[in-house]
């Protein structure tokens, strides 16, 4: 009973000409379309979502617009029509759930906070990259695979800063390069020739 | 500790201890190295076997004259070795793919021709070129006839270089058809600057620092999204230029520092403008068109008006302020606090959230007594600016002199600011004066319960 009242009310909101045309083909016959769906369509489609599937088979739902803006790979998939909204999910076998969640987090934040202060965005980015080296490595591989330019540049910048201005011994410590693979003679030769690098 | 916990801890520790960076593929490591100066990326060859030859695959060169610098060599010796080294440096000589080439070094008369040779050699294939040359006081010429490039996307030139564009590009022929970013901190033969810009149809970002700029008419490329234009003069002679044309409908960022007098400026609407900063000196010609420029910038979100520009506005015969419908942050540098202009501006930005006022006038403690008794220019506004009651949440006032006018204005905001969160006042006065100011302002009843007052 209540549903009928609501439907009548919604019908009242629609212009008459549209109410009259609320029909859709179903199984060869023309059926009256429920007005609430028409109203939703008039208001603008609800934010289209897509589904991303991690290597651990976990599914993440995210706004299509967010991923299309950031990831060249996903943008291409949707543009060339190989992605069907209702049914399929995009399988990302190279990205595990933890990393995928972080990537989605990054893209969503940057889309929604696009107009923020530069300092605020940079502070958020710094906090975002406060992960251990494994996490950073995973993020880098994921960003490279999905071709997310700004995340890639951000991570490149972070790693570059870990190298720039540092001595070789320090860099080895930061990156945990325990075994440099040189013979003891080679290592000694290097140290003698370029003492200022160490 | 339980056995399980120990095991988990050991596993986690082992995971963190792995050398993850060396496991990255060559392509990614080379990309990272391309952001470093070549000296550093060559140094990584001794990090480990994995890194030994990576630097050779890096498609970027970033060379500084400190390339050979060691504590043992003197600066001059290091520079000499560098110039000799450049002549034989493989990546420069061979036609290898190269994305980025950055060169920064001092050069004497004899080295300069070589440098120009290298620039001409790489410009055809790189997409980013950065060239900074410090000469021994003399100015050298760089001819653009040989510098045509379809691959160049970013070009930065800096130093005592005089750029000569000695051919006129036809409409179908651009000097740099792909160039998106151009930065010039050099000397120009000014007729050529306009020619050069007309040969860059895709230009999006332009940064110019020009000294003794004397062009008659100056036209910005219409594709521009970001413009930073700063001109300086070595003598204080009054320079008048005819025309500045900024017909750039895609403009998002504008920063102008103009010291000369421009007879006319041509603007268009900038619907995408986000940030604008104006420092336009108060010359008779400029005063006439500054309001017109403000109207063109009415959609900006962040606006910074420096002292000279404010003075232009004060002197303007008719100030027809537009409605800054998107403005959320406004910074105003006053020489002397002017509440009437300030209120007018607040009326024109209904959505303003942050207001920053910087006063550059300095009153020392000796003359402060008489200053404080000086004329109070405050008149109560007839209507409250909309932003104060609805959006303004941060106010910062630097160089606060505690004049009656400033006090009245601050009190007005505190009383009527219904959503005010912080009011910060910075003053150069002594500590006792600071607490006096704080006391006086704390007594005012605040319109917003969450407002926090701070006096530094």
């Amino acid at each position: 009973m209540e549903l009928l009242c609501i439907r009548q009310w919604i019908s009242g909101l629609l212009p008459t000409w549209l109410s009259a045309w609320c029909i859709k083909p179903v199984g060869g016959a023309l059926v009256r379309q429920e007005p609430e769906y028409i109203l939703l369509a008039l208001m603008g489609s609800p934010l289209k979502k897509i589904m991303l599937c991690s290597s651990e088979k976990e599914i993440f739902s995210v706004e299509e617009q967010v991923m299309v803006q950031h990831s060249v790979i996903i943008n291409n998939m949707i543009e060339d029509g190989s992605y069907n909204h209702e049914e399929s999910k995009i399988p990302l076998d190279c990205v595990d759930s933890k990393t995928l969640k972080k990537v989605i987090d990054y893209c969503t934040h940057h889309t929604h906070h696009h107009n923020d202060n530069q300092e605020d965005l940079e502070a958020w980015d710094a906090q975002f990259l406060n992960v251990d080296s494994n996490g950073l490595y995973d993020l880098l591989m994921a960003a490279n695979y999905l071709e997310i330019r700004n995340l890639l540049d951000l991570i490149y910048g972070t790693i570059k800063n870990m190298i720039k201005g540092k001595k070789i011994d320090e860099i080895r410590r930061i990156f945990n390069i325990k075994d440099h693979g040189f013979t003891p003679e080679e290592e000694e030769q290097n140290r003698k020739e370029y003492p200022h690098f160490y | 500790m339980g056995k399980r916990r120990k095991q988990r801890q050991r596993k986690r520790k082992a995971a963190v201890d792995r050398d993850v960076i060396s496991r990255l593929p060559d392509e990614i490591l080379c990309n990272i190295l391309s952001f470093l100066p070549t000296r550093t990326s060559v140094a990584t060859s001794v990090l480990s076997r994995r890194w030994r030859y990576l630097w050779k695959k890096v498609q970027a060169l970033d060379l500084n004259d400190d390339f050979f610098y060691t504590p043992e060599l003197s600066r001059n010796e290091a520079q000499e070795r560098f110039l000799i080294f450049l002549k034989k440096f493989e990546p420069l000589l061979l036609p290898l793919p190269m994305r980025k080439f950055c060169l920064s070094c001092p050069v004497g008369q004899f080295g300069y021709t070589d440098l120009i040779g290298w620039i001409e050699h790489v410009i055809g294939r790189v997409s980013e070129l950065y060239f900074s040359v410090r000469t021994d006081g003399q100015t050298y010429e760089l001819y653009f006839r040989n510098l045509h490039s379809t691959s160049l996307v970013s070009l930065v030139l800096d130093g005592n270089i005089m750029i000569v564009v000695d051919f006129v590009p036809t409409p179908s022929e651009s000097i740099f058809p792909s160039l998106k970013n151009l930065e010039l901190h050099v000397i120009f033969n000014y007729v050529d600057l306009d020619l050069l810009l007309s040969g860059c149809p895709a230009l999006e970002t332009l940064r110019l620092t020009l000294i003794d700029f004397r062009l008659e008419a100056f036209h910005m490329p219409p594709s521009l999204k970001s413009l930073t234009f700063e001109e300086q003069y070595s003598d204080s002679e009054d320079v008048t230029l005819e025309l500045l044309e900024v017909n750039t409908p895609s403009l998002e960022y504008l920063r102008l520092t103009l010291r000369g007098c421009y007879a006319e400026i041509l603007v268009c609407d900038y619907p995408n403008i986000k940030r604008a900063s104006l420092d336009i000196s108060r010359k008779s010609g400029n005063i006439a068109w500054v309001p017109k420029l403000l109207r063109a910038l009415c959609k900006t979100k962040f606006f910074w008006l420096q002292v000279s520009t404010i003075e232009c506005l004060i002197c303007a015969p008719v100030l027809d302020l537009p409605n800054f419908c998107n403005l959320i942050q406004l910074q105003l540098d006053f020489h002397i606090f002017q509440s009437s202009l300030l209120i007018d501006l607040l009326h024109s930005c209904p959505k303003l959230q942050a207001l920053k006022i910087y006063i550059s006038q300095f009153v020392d403690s000796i003359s402060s007594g008489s200053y404080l008794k000086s004329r109070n220019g405050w008149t109560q506004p007839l209507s409250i600016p909309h932003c104060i009651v609805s959006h303004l949440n941060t106010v910062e006032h630097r160089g606060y002199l505690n004049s009656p006018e400033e006090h009245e204005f601050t009190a007005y905001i505190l009383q009527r600011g219904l959503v005010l969160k912080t009011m910060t006042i910075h003053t150069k006065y002594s500590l006792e004066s600071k607490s006096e100011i704080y006391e006086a302002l704390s007594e005012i009843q605040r319109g917003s319960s969450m407002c926090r007052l701070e006096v530094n």
Side-chain angles (χ1 to χ4, degrees):
Chain A
M1 199 60 214
E2 285 158 317
L3 190 56
L4 196 61
C5 295
I6 295 172
R7 282 193 174 159
Q8 278 176 344
W9 172 71
I10 292 177
S11 287
L13 291 173
L14 297 169
T16 349
W17 60 267
L18 193 54
S19 308
W21 284 93
C22 290
I23 45 177
K24 69 177 181 199
V26 170
L30 288 174
V31 174
R32 213 139 178 237
Q33 172 72 302
E34 287 78 20
E36 57 263 32
Y37 294 118
I38 305 282
L39 188 64
L40 268 176
L42 278 182
M43 291 195 306
S45 54
L47 296 163
K48 256 202 237 163
K49 299 232 169 162
I50 54 173
M51 293 191 284
L52 305 176
C53 183
S54 75
S55 59
E56 292 151 338
K57 305 296 176 225
E58 206 179 319
I59 300 185
F60 292 87
S61 170
V62 61
E63 281 170 42
E64 174 184 315
Q65 194 206 21
V66 163
M67 290 318 292
V68 153
Q69 250 179 31
H70 286 94
S71 164
V72 174
I73 294 289
I74 292 184
N75 183 41
N76 290 346
M77 270 193 211
I78 292 184
E79 256 187 24
D80 69 21
S82 58
Y83 175 72
N84 180 337
H85 277 279
E86 260 118 57
E87 290 160 34
S88 53
K89 33 194 192 318
I90 300 181
L92 300 170
D93 292 327
C94 309
V95 189
D96 66 28
S97 297
K98 181 166 146 219
T99 312
L100 186 54
K101 186 164 186 298
K102 273 220 100 157
V103 168
I104 291 174
D105 204 12
Y106 177 86
C107 298
T108 314
H109 180 93
H110 274 261
T111 301
H112 291 163
H113 293 250
H114 169 67
N115 289 319
D116 266 14
N117 237 341
Q118 205 49 39
E119 294 99 38
D120 291 335
L121 281 176
E122 280 172 11
W124 191 91
D125 283 344
Q127 184 60 28
F128 176 80
L129 284 185
N130 196 5
V131 292
D132 64 20
S133 51
N134 273 311
L136 198 61
Y137 163 85
D138 290 334
L139 270 176
L140 181 51
M141 295 298 282
N144 186 47
Y145 174 67
L146 291 170
E147 288 185 45
I148 303 176
R149 186 79 255 157
N150 45 357
L151 180 56
L152 262 179
D153 284 344
L154 181 67
I155 301 178
Y156 284 155
T158 307
I159 300 182
K160 154 204 145 194
N161 287 333
M162 291 183 201
I163 301 177
K164 188 168 183 179
K166 307 246 175 21
K167 305 272 183 197
I168 295 288
D169 288 326
E170 217 181 316
I171 301 176
R172 280 180 180 160
R173 206 172 30 245
I174 294 174
F175 289 124
N176 280 310
I177 302 176
K178 292 252 160 74
D179 174 23
H180 50 67
F182 293 121
T183 66
E185 295 82 31
E186 284 175 324
E187 176 71 3
E188 203 191 306
Q189 175 77 359
N190 286 338
R191 277 183 194 268
K192 249 199 338 209
E193 235 181 286
Y194 312 108
H196 46 279
F197 282 165
Y198 294 83
Chain B
M1 235 188 281
K3 193 172 165 198
R4 277 272 176 82
R5 209 169 3 148
K6 250 200 201 155
Q7 274 181 346
R8 253 182 285 144
Q9 277 195 344
R10 213 179 303 135
K11 197 176 172 192
R12 219 178 306 145
K13 191 168 186 295
V16 168
D17 275 354
R18 267 187 359 229
D19 168 17
V20 289
I21 189 144
S22 301
R23 284 174 47 197
L24 292 169
D26 275 7
E27 182 198 311
I28 292 189
L29 286 180
C30 287
N31 273 333
I32 296 172
L33 289 181
S34 74
F35 287 100
L36 290 164
T38 304
R39 177 188 152 93
T40 310
S41 89
V42 169
T44 62
S45 62
V46 298
L47 258 184
S48 78
R49 266 213 135 73
R50 165 89 180 91
W51 291 76
R52 207 167 187 182
Y53 300 113
L54 274 178
W55 71 270
K56 289 199 174 172
K57 292 193 196 171
V58 175
Q59 291 181 1
L61 271 178
D62 186 343
L63 300 167
N64 250 321
D65 60 335
D66 67 354
F67 195 71
F68 283 107
Y69 178 72
T70 69
E72 290 88 41
L73 286 177
S74 78
R75 191 151 191 92
N76 280 333
E77 286 176 318
Q79 283 170 4
E80 267 178 48
R81 279 189 70 181
F82 177 62
L83 286 172
I84 298 171
F85 159 80
L86 271 185
K87 290 197 192 178
K88 303 209 204 94
F89 193 52
E90 269 177 35
L92 272 178
L93 301 173
L94 299 174
L96 294 171
M98 198 181 309
R99 194 177 48 79
K100 185 166 93 166
F101 183 71
C102 303
L103 180 58
S104 166
C105 67
V107 65
Q109 204 174 346
F110 302 109
Y112 191 71
T113 0
D114 288 327
L115 282 184
I116 298 303
W118 295 316
I119 301 290
E120 290 173 4
H121 186 72
V122 295
I123 200 163
R125 50 187 163 114
V126 294
S127 54
E128 279 174 57
L129 176 61
Y130 172 94
F131 185 45
S132 167
V133 75
R134 289 160 271 133
T135 70
D136 48 7
Q138 212 180 327
T139 303
Y140 297 98
E141 288 172 345
L142 178 63
Y143 288 89
F144 260 65
R145 85 169 77 95
N146 300 322
L147 296 182
H148 169 80
S149 168
T150 45
S151 58
L152 202 63
V153 170
S154 167
L155 175 63
V156 177
L157 294 173
D158 165 55
N160 301 27
I161 312 172
M162 178 178 290
I163 300 187
V164 182
V165 179
D166 51 350
F167 68 96
V168 181
T170 61
S172 57
E173 159 196 296
S174 324
I175 308 175
F176 297 120
S178 314
L179 196 66
K180 285 201 177 150
N181 176 46
L182 179 61
E183 230 179 280
L184 297 171
H185 310 287
V186 298
I187 299 173
F188 255 96
N189 177 336
Y190 291 115
V191 175
D192 302 323
L193 179 53
D194 226 25
L195 271 180
L196 172 60
L197 289 182
S198 65
C200 307
L203 200 63
E204 288 181 6
T205 308
L206 179 61
R207 283 194 192 91
L208 294 172
T209 309
L210 303 176
I211 305 177
D212 291 336
F213 179 61
R214 276 179 173 71
L215 193 61
E216 288 263 309
F218 192 19
H219 311 272
M220 297 296 171
S223 49
L224 270 193
K225 286 189 182 169
S226 166
L227 172 62
T228 308
F229 180 31
E230 189 183 313
E231 31 119 311
Q232 311 163 8
Y233 292 96
S234 48
D235 54 51
S236 54
E237 171 206 322
D238 251 349
V239 180
T240 304
L241 300 107
E242 286 300 315
L243 170 68
L244 177 61
E245 183 181 338
V246 192
N247 209 335
T248 55
S250 314
L251 199 66
E252 290 175 21
Y253 177 85
L254 177 67
R255 190 186 170 104
L256 283 180
T257 306
L258 304 179
R259 291 281 161 266
C261 172
Y262 289 78
E264 200 189 341
I265 189 173
L266 284 181
V267 295
C268 63
D269 280 334
Y270 307 122
N272 298 331
I273 188 90
K274 295 204 168 56
R275 285 181 179 268
S277 162
L278 299 180
D279 182 4
I280 299 170
S281 68
R282 193 191 64 181
K283 302 271 163 74
S284 52
N286 299 345
I287 293 172
W289 51 256
V290 167
K292 183 165 93 163
L293 180 58
L294 248 64
R295 279 195 290 281
L297 293 168
C298 64
K299 296 250 170 31
T300 185
K301 290 194 171 151
F302 297 90
F303 211 172
W304 181 11
L305 295 172
Q306 301 200 37
V307 176
S308 49
T309 322
I310 301 262
E311 293 187 351
C312 286
L313 290 177
I314 293 171
C315 294
V318 173
L319 191 56
D320 185 11
L321 288 173
N323 185 326
F324 291 98
C325 48
N326 298 331
L327 195 62
I328 52 177
Q329 186 173 306
L330 178 62
Q331 179 171 332
L332 302 170
D333 293 358
F334 285 96
H335 180 59
I336 300 174
F337 187 72
Q338 286 264 359
S339 58
S340 49
L341 178 63
L342 185 46
I343 295 289
D344 280 341
L345 283 166
L346 286 175
H347 270 296
S348 63
C349 36
K351 291 202 185 144
L352 192 69
Q353 292 174 20
L355 174 66
K356 291 190 189 174
I357 304 165
Y358 283 26
I359 313 275
S360 59
Q361 182 185 34
F362 180 70
V363 173
D364 61 23
S365 46
I366 302 168
S367 45
S368 66
S370 52
Y371 177 78
L372 288 178
K373 298 196 192 79
S374 61
R375 181 191 73 92
N376 183 354
W378 172 258
T379 47
Q380 193 80 342
L382 292 169
S383 59
I384 307 176
H386 180 74
C387 59
I388 296 182
V389 299
S390 60
H391 287 87
L392 195 64
N393 58 44
T394 314
V395 177
E396 190 183 329
H397 193 137
R398 274 189 193 268
Y400 189 79
L401 293 169
N402 205 21
S403 67
E405 194 173 346
E406 279 169 312
H407 179 87
E408 295 281 354
F409 172 77
T410 314
Y412 185 77
I413 302 280
L414 281 170
Q415 282 170 330
R416 287 168 180 73
L418 299 178
V419 292
L420 197 61
K421 282 198 193 131
T422 43
M423 163 79 76
T424 316
I425 302 202
H426 302 270
T427 172
K428 292 197 184 104
Y429 288 145
S430 62
L431 219 54
E432 307 95 62
S433 308
K434 282 187 192 165
S435 38
E436 269 174 37
I437 297 172
Y438 184 78
E439 298 286 327
L441 290 174
S442 305
E443 281 168 18
I444 300 162
Q445 184 175 34
R446 293 178 208 171
S448 156
S449 52
M450 50 182 170
C451 174
R452 213 189 68 204
L453 173 66
E454 217 178 280
V455 179
N456 295 328

